[in-house]
Structures are given as C-alpha cells and as structure tokens.
Amino acid sequence: MENKLSKREAIINAAIKVFSTKGYHSTRMEEIAILAEVGKGTIYEYFASKLDLFQKMLEESVKVYFTEVASLDDENLPFAEKLLLLLAGHIDFCKEHKELTRIVFWDTEIIDEELKEWSNQMRKEKEDYMTEIIKTAINKGDIKPVNPRILTYIISGVLGSLWAPITLDNWEVNTEDLAQEITDIVIRGIGL
Amino acid sequence: MENKLSKREAIINAAIKVFSTKGYHSTRMEEIAILAEVGKGTIYEYFASKLDLFQKMLEESVKVYFTEVASLDDENLPFAEKLLLLLAGHIDFCKEHKELTRIVFWDTEIIDEELKEWSNQMRKEKEDYMTEIIKTAINKGDIKPVNPRILTYIISGVLGSLWAPITLDNWEVNTEDLAQEITDIVIRGIGL
Amino acid sequence: MENKLSKREAIINAAIKVFSTKGYHSTRMEEIAILAEVGKGTIYEYFASKLDLFQKMLEESVKVYFTEVASLDDENLPFAEKLLLLLAGHIDFCKEHKELTRIVFWDTEIIDEELKEWSNQMRKEKEDYMTEIIKTAINKGDIKPVNPRILTYIISGVLGSLWAPITLDNWEVNTEDLAQEITDIVIRGIGL
Amino acid sequence: MENKLSKREAIINAAIKVFSTKGYHSTRMEEIAILAEVGKGTIYEYFASKLDLFQKMLEESVKVYFTEVASLDDENLPFAEKLLLLLAGHIDFCKEHKELTRIVFWDTEIIDEELKEWSNQMRKEKEDYMTEIIKTAINKGDIKPVNPRILTYIISGVLGSLWAPITLDNWEVNTEDLAQEITDIVIRGIGL
DNA sequence: TATGAATGAGAATTCATTCAT
DNA sequence: TATGAATGAATTCTCATTCAT
C-alpha cells in the first residue's frame, strides 16, 4: 500500500517536471518512467493514459496551489490585507514551484476538448471566487464601488504576468516588497 | 502575382484558424490544406515545414497586432490618455481577431527551443517598451513615482487576462467603457 | 526541329551527369531540368517518365560506348592485338567519360523489373560476342583451347574492375602501357 | 537472450533478402517487417533507421564473406594454391549465398555519401590485401615480376564477374573445375 | 504487481507528374 | 511548344499502449 502510494507520487512528481518543462506533446511517457524510476508499463497501473496522467497531475497541482496560497474567505481582514496575502502567497509559490506554476497558471496548450473545458471552468471558478471577495469588500465599504469583474481581471492579470519574469528571467525579488508595491498601486492608484 | 499572394495568404489565414483552435501539435497539415483549399503539397511550396509555417504565422500576427493597436510613443498625451488608447485598441483587437489574439498573447506551448527564445524575447521587448513610457510619464510628473517594472506587469497582466473572457466566454462589452473603467482603477486606485 | 533535337540532347546529357553522380533514386527531375536549362514540364514533352528517360539515356550511352570502343570482329587481327585494342579503347573511354562508364558498366541499381531484364540481356550479349571472338581465335590456332566462357569472364572482369580506380581514385595511368601489361599477363600468364 | 538475438537476426536476414532483390530504394521497411514476421516498429528497436539497417546488414555480410572465404595470408602456400583456394571459396560462397554475394560484391547504388566512402574504402582494403600477397609471391620468386596492382584488378575482376552468371543465370558449375581452369589461365596464360 | 519488448496507427514530408497558361 | 505552380500518393519513423512474463 505504502509502496503503491509512493510509486504513484513518484510518477506524478516526474510528470510535473517533464510536462512543465517540455509541454504535453513533447513529453514521452518513457521519460517520465525513467525519471520516476519505474517501468514504462507501471505508469499504466496507476493512470489510464497519458492524458489521464496529465489531468491528474493538473488537478493535484491546483490543489497544492490552493493549499499553499492562503485561503482568503475565512479571514476577516480588510481587502488590502487579503490582497497582500494573496500576492505574497502567489509570489512565494512561483519562486518555490517554478514548474508547477507554469502548469497551474499559464499552460494553455490545447490537448483535448474536455481538458480545455475543465481548464476554462477552473479559470471561471477562480474569477468567481475573487469577484465574491471583491463584492463583499465593496459592501463592507472597504473599497470603492468599482466593477468587481474588472478588478478581478486586473488582479488575476498581475498574478499571471509575474510568472514569466520570476521563472524565465530568474527575477530575484523580495516577496514582501513586491506584494506591498503592487497592493499600494492597486489601492492608491498611480495618479497624483 | 495576385494569385500567388492570395494562395500564401489563404494558407496563413487557415493556419491562424487551425493553430489557434487546436494548438500546434494537434493541428494536422492536411487540415490547414483543406481549410485553405489547396493541396497538402502546396503548403510546402510556400513554407519549409510545419514549424516554419507556425513561425511565419506568428510573426505576421504580431505585426498585425502592433499595426492595429495604436502606437503610443509618438503621441504627446498624458499617461492616462495613452493607457486608455492602449486598452481600447487592445480590446477592439481582441474582439475582432479572436484567434489571432490567442496566438499573440497566450501561446506558450513548448514547440521548439528557438521559438521559445523568440517568444520570450518578444515579451521582454513589449515590457521594455511599456517601462520606457512609464519612466517618461514619471519624469514628466504625470504619475506617481511607482516602480515602472511593477506597473508594467500590472498593465500587461490586464491585457493578457482580458483575452479569455472576450474570446472564450464571448463577453460582449463596450470597448470605451471597459477601457475607461480599467484606466480609472489604475489611475485612482480602489481605496477610499 | 533543330531546336527540339538540341533540347532532347540537352536533357539526355544532363540526365547522364545527374543519374551517374547520384544514382536513379536520388536524382530529382528538377535537377535535370535545371542542368538542361529547360522547364520541368519540358522533359515530359520528350520522355514519358523518369524511368523512360533513364532507359533512353542508358541505351544511348551503350551506343556511344560501342561506337567509341573499337569494334573487334571486322578486324582480321591476332587475338592479342584485338585484346589490346579492346583494353585501350575501354581505358580511354573510362578516362574520357567517367560518368558514362559508371552507367554502362557498373550501374546495377534495381529500379524496375523490365530494366533489370534489359540490363541482364545486354550483359549476356556482350558475353556472347566476346565468346564468339574467343572461339574464332581458338579455331584459328591463335590461342590455347581454353574454355571460352571462362576467358570471357576474365576479360569482362578486368574491364569492369578498371572503372573504380580510374574514376573514383583518379588513377592517372598511361593507356597504352596498362593495356599492354594486362594483355601480357593474359597471354603469357604469371607463372615462371 | 536467444529470442532477442533471433529477432535481430530475423530482421537482418529479411533485409538481406529484400535489399538484394529490390535494391535499397525500392525496398519498403514494411516488406522487411512482414518477411521477418515482426511489426514495423520492431525494426526500429534494433536499428536506428533504414540506412542504419542497410549498413549493419552490409557489414555483417562482409564479415560472413571474409569468414567463409578462406583467409590467405596465414597459409604458407605457393601462389597458385592460394589463388585456387580463393577462387574455390568465392565460387562456393556465390553458390550458397546468392543474395549476399550481390550485396558484398556488386551493390554500388548511391545511397549516402558516408556509405559510398565506406564502400570505396572496403574495395581499397581488399585491393591492398591482394596486392600484398602478390608482392610476397613475387619476392619469393613464386611468380613473374608483374605489376601487382594490375594483377589485383584481373583477379578481383574475375571474382566480380562470376557473380552474375552464377546468381542470375543459375550457372551450375563444378567449383573445383572452374577454380582450376581460371587458375590455369592466370598462371600459364592463353598464348601458345 | 511490475516490466519493457513489441506493436501499428498516424503524421510530416517528398517529388514525379499534370495541366492551365 | 514550353513552363512551373499545384498536387496527393506513398513512405519513413515515432511513441502511446499492450500483454506475456
């Protein structure tokens, strides 16, 4: 039992590494098998197909993201604090799990209609979740009564655009400072 | 002459449609040929390989984007106006060229090392271009002395995140209003 | 008419060059067209297909060989003289038409069943022709009563084996000397 | 182990048959697969490409030839005896391995620059080996002081020219007699 | 349960040939 | 008659998946 679990984990971890580095189509099952130190056939004991492995890996990655990046709705904090926490969590996650972030936030390779749907659905859920928080903040008189949807796009946009410089350019940045600066701009604006 | 041009164009246009819908790897050359109403072999009269076709299509798409979305540096406008123009141009482009936008803004599929490099380079150029405009605005006392790089990520983030709702969800939105609302938030902030 | 003939010749000459250098399968019709300075379609005005062009070229090459290498049966010479003439003619031909020799003497690439038959037939004719000459020489008491067929293989063998060093290694040899030395060995033997 | 070897061997044997019958270019990988009773993909488990399979087959065929046709330099025999042995070995080989002989002795189809080089190199080695034996024989006073290179061409010429009648015409000949007759002619000459 | 040799469907690409001009 | 742009049949090779061990 324990063995089985650890094999499954080894495969998922290998999958994250290879898929996020090479993309879905350029990844060979054999490469994952080698990296996971299992036989090629063993992968099929745990996953039905390459697509299934990719999906399972995606799901688990998203789970890890949501576990690590602080959940915001259960905290009774002012919006600025929540935003700061979200940004800091996201930036740390980017720095620690460079490969994973690509998959969770950026991968748009079109593989399968169903997966596309799932991916799109996940995006909408994230947006809805964020929009709800914003609405609450507006209702509580925490922030101006801006269009919640538009603010959602601004925030998720920043989260997305940070991945490239941190991962690809190896931008070494202090998490707290960056989160604070972004929050400041969003809260106070750039106008004089 | 006209014939030759229109054949090449037909292929490029078909390529934009199919590549942006299915992604690089799931696209079959035959499908492009059928959509372009040419023989499979004809594609190879104009493009050396599948990768070459993809690259050429990418380059032309980027060119179209930069031509259509108003160039900002030659205008002697206040930053808020420039931002408004950029957003309006981008939103209109998204609405008119849904497939193209996906390619210009979102495709990060890993296909080829050289292409990855080119894609990354393009991103950096866009960022540098935006950063320069911001620096000028700060120097002119147009906006607060924020970190130009961070503001760049906020702006390019919004541009990127608008693609999905407009294209995938068919968000029917008034360009002027959306551009204005985003600009307002960025200039004035969301804080009370 | 004259034009047509010279175009046909240009194509045949180009075909000899390209086919003998690259072999049948690695030769592209376009290459022949370019070398012959005609359009690709023009070749098909004179030859039915690639195979037809190859066959016609082969036939003409063989004709040239037999025209240039002295015909032996009409000469009333002793066998040693005939052999000397044959060898000298063959060596000169090898030196002057390196590409052609390859085709006439060495090319065995299997292209087509019919062509294989034709090629084999041609070989047998050459052998029979040689065997007849040998028989006559034996009857006239010119040479020992050896097995004519075996002597044929020895002589055609030498002719064949000279092509490689002359063409591939650029063996610069004096025709008369080489022909004489070979004749001496064949006539007198190598034994003491 | 045994299985693996026999699978590789089955492919090589099928390759010999098909390549020698149809030539390199007219041979389809699938045909080899069918004859070897393996799947198309299996060939690629053992050989990197069609060219690689051809090369490996060539190398092994040459090895078989040199193993079966008696090695001459370790024998302290008079030259006539050596020649007799060589001829007898060669004739037997031709009779037993008709397809193989074609490949070892006659195939000059132009496939690949590197292969051409290899093939030419092999020819030169064979010539050098023969030339050395001849030089030794001359030094030992075994035979007349003829030009060793020219004698080499005569001998390798006969070897080559025997292939066609034996293989293509199914010439049924007694090995000993043929070898003896050729040797006699070479040693004693045909002159009276 | 674990394996990896064997498989064959599927895709990119080539190039002889055609045919409208 | 001469042309070369257009074509698609044909071929090699890849790699996810299977299954006997």
Side-chain angles (χ1 to χ4, degrees):
Chain A
M1 199 59 154
E2 192 206 329
N3 241 330
K4 195 172 173 181
L5 270 173
S6 75
K7 277 222 164 146
R8 194 184 184 281
E9 271 169 13
I11 293 166
I12 284 274
N13 287 334
I16 289 174
K17 262 197 197 94
V18 187
F19 278 134
S20 66
T21 313
K22 308 205 152 187
Y24 181 78
H25 284 102
S26 301
T27 292
R28 320 263 153 263
M29 291 300 267
E30 192 165 23
E31 210 174 338
I32 293 173
I34 289 166
L35 197 65
E37 293 181 310
V38 299
K40 237 187 311 178
T42 308
I43 297 178
Y44 290 85
E45 295 287 324
Y46 297 92
F47 304 94
S49 66
K50 187 185 182 182
L51 185 58
D52 181 51
L53 170 59
F54 187 75
Q55 271 175 318
K56 293 294 180 349
M57 175 217 64
L58 217 54
E59 280 165 23
E60 305 225 350
S61 297
V62 171
K63 220 180 285 168
V64 173
Y65 179 80
F66 280 113
T67 308
E68 292 212 7
V69 175
S71 197
L72 302 174
D73 46 10
D74 50 286
E75 320 232 12
N76 201 356
L77 294 169
F79 187 76
E81 293 292 318
K82 283 186 176 178
L83 185 57
L84 198 64
L85 275 174
L86 173 69
L87 284 163
H90 180 81
I91 295 160
D92 274 342
F93 189 87
C94 278
K95 283 154 84 174
E96 279 170 45
H97 310 283
K98 294 190 175 182
E99 289 133 356
L100 234 152
T101 320
R102 176 191 187 88
I103 289 165
V104 177
F105 257 79
W106 208 253
D107 199 286
T108 57
E109 191 173 357
I110 302 146
I111 295 156
D112 175 83
E113 205 51 41
E114 198 197 335
L115 196 60
K116 207 165 145 183
E117 213 55 54
W118 180 85
S119 179
N120 202 20
Q121 193 53 41
M122 199 176 77
R123 174 183 59 81
K124 281 190 200 160
E125 274 172 30
K126 279 194 284 187
E127 285 175 10
D128 289 347
Y129 171 67
M130 177 63 66
T131 304
E132 277 315 303
I133 293 173
I134 292 166
K135 278 182 185 164
T136 310
I138 291 170
N139 285 339
K140 290 208 303 190
D142 233 16
I143 56 170
K144 282 182 199 154
V146 296
N147 184 324
R149 199 168 178 191
I150 292 172
L151 182 54
T152 296
Y153 294 138
I154 294 174
I155 292 167
S156 59
V158 196
L159 295 179
S161 70
L162 289 173
W163 168 77
I166 291 176
T167 307
L168 300 180
D169 309 344
N170 276 308
W171 186 24
E172 283 175 27
V173 73
N174 178 279
T175 302
E176 303 308 319
D177 294 348
L178 179 56
Q180 189 61 60
E181 286 195 81
I182 294 170
T183 305
D184 283 351
I185 291 174
V186 173
I187 298 294
R188 294 188 208 145
I190 60 171
L192 296 172
Chain B
M1 195 61 154
E2 192 208 328
N3 243 329
K4 195 173 171 183
L5 269 174
S6 75
K7 211 133 221 171
R8 194 185 183 278
E9 270 169 13
I11 294 167
I12 285 271
N13 288 334
I16 288 173
K17 256 190 204 101
V18 186
F19 278 135
S20 68
T21 313
K22 307 206 151 188
Y24 181 79
H25 284 103
S26 300
T27 293
R28 317 273 150 250
M29 291 302 265
E30 194 165 22
E31 210 174 337
I32 293 174
I34 289 166
L35 196 66
E37 293 183 307
V38 299
K40 241 186 309 172
T42 308
I43 298 177
Y44 291 87
E45 292 285 319
Y46 296 91
F47 304 94
S49 65
K50 186 182 182 182
L51 186 58
D52 183 50
L53 171 58
F54 187 76
Q55 270 176 318
K56 293 291 173 7
M57 176 215 63
L58 220 52
E59 281 166 23
E60 305 218 355
S61 299
V62 170
K63 220 182 285 168
V64 173
Y65 179 80
F66 280 112
T67 307
E68 294 211 6
V69 175
S71 196
L72 302 173
D73 45 11
D74 50 287
E75 321 233 11
N76 202 356
L77 295 169
F79 186 77
E81 294 292 318
K82 283 187 176 178
L83 185 57
L84 199 64
L85 274 175
L86 173 69
L87 284 163
H90 179 79
I91 293 159
D92 273 341
F93 189 87
C94 281
K95 283 153 83 175
E96 279 169 44
H97 311 285
K98 295 191 175 180
E99 289 129 356
L100 234 151
T101 321
R102 175 187 188 90
I103 287 162
V104 176
F105 258 78
W106 266 104
D107 204 288
T108 54
E109 195 173 351
I110 302 146
I111 296 157
D112 175 82
E113 205 49 44
E114 201 196 331
L115 195 61
K116 205 167 146 185
E117 212 56 54
W118 180 85
S119 177
N120 203 19
Q121 192 53 41
M122 202 176 76
R123 174 182 60 79
K124 281 189 197 162
E125 273 172 31
K126 281 194 282 188
E127 286 175 10
D128 288 348
Y129 172 65
M130 177 62 68
T131 304
E132 276 314 304
I133 291 172
I134 292 165
K135 278 182 184 163
T136 309
I138 291 170
N139 287 338
K140 291 207 303 190
D142 235 17
I143 56 170
K144 282 183 200 156
V146 297
N147 184 324
R149 200 171 178 188
I150 291 172
L151 182 54
T152 294
Y153 293 137
I154 293 173
I155 293 167
S156 59
V158 195
L159 295 179
S161 69
L162 289 174
W163 165 78
I166 292 176
T167 306
L168 299 181
D169 310 343
N170 277 308
W171 187 25
E172 283 175 28
V173 72
N174 178 279
T175 301
E176 302 310 317
D177 294 349
L178 179 56
Q180 190 60 60
E181 286 195 81
I182 296 171
T183 307
D184 283 351
I185 291 174
V186 174
I187 298 294
R188 296 191 206 144
I190 58 172
L192 298 173
Chain C
M1 199 61 154
E2 192 207 328
N3 240 331
K4 196 170 168 183
L5 269 172
S6 75
K7 278 220 164 148
R8 192 185 186 280
E9 271 169 12
I11 294 166
I12 285 274
N13 288 334
I16 289 173
K17 261 194 198 97
V18 187
F19 278 134
S20 66
T21 313
K22 308 205 152 186
Y24 181 78
H25 283 102
S26 301
T27 292
R28 323 263 153 259
M29 291 301 265
E30 193 166 23
E31 210 174 339
I32 293 173
I34 289 166
L35 198 65
E37 293 181 312
V38 299
K40 238 187 309 177
T42 308
I43 297 177
Y44 290 85
E45 295 289 324
Y46 297 91
F47 304 94
S49 66
K50 186 183 183 183
L51 185 59
D52 181 51
L53 171 58
F54 187 76
Q55 270 175 318
K56 295 293 182 342
M57 175 216 64
L58 217 53
E59 282 166 21
E60 306 225 350
S61 298
V62 170
K63 221 180 286 171
V64 173
Y65 179 79
F66 280 112
T67 308
E68 293 213 6
V69 176
S71 199
L72 302 173
D73 46 11
D74 51 287
E75 321 232 10
N76 202 357
L77 294 168
F79 187 76
E81 293 293 319
K82 283 188 175 178
L83 185 56
L84 199 62
L85 273 174
L86 173 68
L87 284 163
H90 180 80
I91 294 160
D92 274 341
F93 189 86
C94 280
K95 282 155 81 174
E96 278 169 45
H97 311 285
K98 295 191 175 183
E99 289 132 358
L100 235 152
T101 321
R102 176 190 187 88
I103 289 165
V104 176
F105 258 78
W106 207 254
D107 200 287
T108 56
E109 190 173 356
I110 302 144
I111 295 157
D112 176 83
E113 205 52 41
E114 198 197 334
L115 196 61
K116 206 165 146 184
E117 213 55 55
W118 180 84
S119 178
N120 201 21
Q121 193 52 41
M122 199 176 76
R123 173 181 60 80
K124 281 188 198 160
E125 275 173 30
K126 279 194 283 187
E127 286 176 11
D128 288 348
Y129 172 67
M130 176 64 65
T131 305
E132 277 315 304
I133 293 174
I134 292 165
K135 279 182 183 163
T136 309
I138 291 170
N139 286 340
K140 292 208 302 190
D142 234 16
I143 55 171
K144 284 182 198 154
V146 295
N147 184 324
R149 198 170 181 189
I150 291 173
L151 182 53
T152 295
Y153 294 138
I154 293 174
I155 293 168
S156 59
V158 196
L159 295 179
S161 71
L162 288 174
W163 167 78
I166 292 176
T167 306
L168 300 180
D169 309 345
N170 276 307
W171 187 24
E172 283 175 27
V173 75
N174 179 280
T175 301
E176 303 309 318
D177 294 349
L178 179 56
Q180 191 60 60
E181 287 195 80
I182 294 169
T183 306
D184 283 353
I185 291 174
V186 174
I187 299 295
R188 297 189 206 144
I190 58 173
L192 297 173
Chain D
M1 197 60 154
E2 192 207 326
N3 244 328
K4 196 173 170 180
L5 268 174
S6 73
K7 210 133 224 174
R8 193 185 184 279
E9 270 170 12
I11 294 167
I12 284 272
N13 288 335
I16 288 172
K17 256 190 203 102
V18 187
F19 278 134
S20 68
T21 313
K22 308 207 150 187
Y24 181 79
H25 284 104
S26 301
T27 292
R28 318 275 150 245
M29 290 302 265
E30 193 164 23
E31 210 173 339
I32 293 173
I34 289 165
L35 197 66
E37 293 182 306
V38 298
K40 238 186 313 172
T42 308
I43 298 177
Y44 292 88
E45 293 284 319
Y46 296 91
F47 305 94
S49 64
K50 187 182 181 181
L51 186 57
D52 182 51
L53 170 59
F54 187 76
Q55 270 176 316
K56 294 291 173 8
M57 175 216 62
L58 218 53
E59 281 167 24
E60 305 219 354
S61 298
V62 170
K63 220 181 286 168
V64 172
Y65 178 81
F66 280 111
T67 307
E68 294 212 5
V69 175
S71 196
L72 303 172
D73 44 12
D74 50 286
E75 320 235 11
N76 202 357
L77 295 168
F79 187 78
E81 294 292 319
K82 283 186 176 178
L83 186 56
L84 199 64
L85 272 175
L86 173 68
L87 284 162
H90 179 80
I91 293 159
D92 274 341
F93 189 87
C94 280
K95 284 155 80 175
E96 279 170 44
H97 311 283
K98 295 191 174 182
E99 289 131 356
L100 234 151
T101 321
R102 176 187 186 88
I103 286 163
V104 176
F105 258 78
W106 208 255
D107 202 288
T108 56
E109 191 173 356
I110 301 147
I111 295 158
D112 175 83
E113 205 49 43
E114 200 196 333
L115 196 59
K116 206 167 145 184
E117 211 56 54
W118 181 83
S119 178
N120 202 21
Q121 192 54 40
M122 201 176 76
R123 174 182 58 82
K124 282 189 198 160
E125 274 172 31
K126 280 194 282 190
E127 287 176 10
D128 288 347
Y129 172 67
M130 177 64 66
T131 305
E132 276 315 303
I133 292 173
I134 292 165
K135 279 183 184 163
T136 309
I138 291 170
N139 286 339
K140 290 208 305 193
D142 234 16
I143 56 171
K144 283 184 201 153
V146 297
N147 183 324
R149 199 171 178 187
I150 291 172
L151 182 53
T152 295
Y153 294 138
I154 293 174
I155 294 168
S156 58
V158 196
L159 295 179
S161 69
L162 289 173
W163 165 77
I166 293 176
T167 307
L168 300 181
D169 310 344
N170 277 309
W171 185 25
E172 283 175 29
V173 74
N174 179 280
T175 302
E176 303 309 317
D177 294 348
L178 179 55
Q180 189 61 58
E181 286 195 82
I182 295 170
T183 306
D184 282 351
I185 291 174
V186 173
I187 299 294
R188 296 189 206 144
I190 60 172
L192 297 171

